[in-house]
Amino acid sequence: GAGMGARAKLATNLVLGLNRAVLAEGFAFADAMGLAPEVFLQLVLETPARSDAALAKGAMMAAGTFTPPQSRVHQHLKDVQLMLAGARAAGQRLPLSEVHAALLRAAVEAGDGELDNAAIVRQMRRERG
């Protein structure tokens, strides 16, 4: 039906964005424990934790290089906000996406909005307490 393609794209982007966020959180956790980013990425790629997100964005996260952007942090935040609005309208809560949106907003506020969306790893590292 009308608009179904756009809705499917948002649902797919929800999964993809959360995959990136989880990978970024793994990088931050590994870093906090003293694992080198390149070593952590190789471990991820050689285990069942392997994902297309790790293949597409892992090297950027490991190297800390987020330009040129394939898709920007602020663009993904816009998508996540659309996801949350659509979910509210449908009566569905998206608790992981709520946290994801907060992280993306913080990343934009920190000046990362124009960087590749893999730069969510920078925000995860800033979350260190």
Side-chain angles (χ1 to χ4, degrees):
M4 205 51 69
R7 289 181 226 156
K9 182 178 184 290
L10 282 177
T12 301
N13 283 349
L14 180 150
V15 174
L16 181 58
L18 288 175
N19 273 310
R20 267 192 313 271
V22 168
L23 178 63
E25 188 170 45
F27 268 106
F29 183 49
D31 183 54
M33 293 189 305
L35 277 101
E38 300 80 15
V39 171
F40 172 70
L41 178 59
Q42 284 308 309
L43 290 170
V44 166
L45 294 176
E46 294 175 16
T47 68
R50 179 187 182 103
S51 68
D52 285 346
L55 289 168
K57 302 294 182 171
M60 295 174 92
M61 290 183 185
T65 305
F66 308 106
T67 56
Q70 297 167 338
S71 181
R72 292 169 172 79
V73 170
H74 75 82
Q75 290 170 321
H76 191 61
L77 173 58
K78 176 192 61 86
D79 282 353
V80 174
Q81 290 169 330
L82 289 171
M83 293 166 198
L84 292 170
R88 274 191 301 277
Q92 175 65 54
R93 185 165 174 249
L94 302 175
L96 298 177
S97 292
E98 291 168 7
V99 171
H100 190 197
L103 290 165
L104 291 167
R105 274 192 295 277
V108 168
E109 290 168 9
D112 292 345
E114 291 297 321
L115 298 177
D116 188 274
N117 55 27
I120 188 72
V121 72
R122 290 168 47 111
Q123 184 58 40
M124 290 294 188
R125 289 181 173 132
R126 284 191 288 265
E127 296 288 320
R128 196 168 181 181

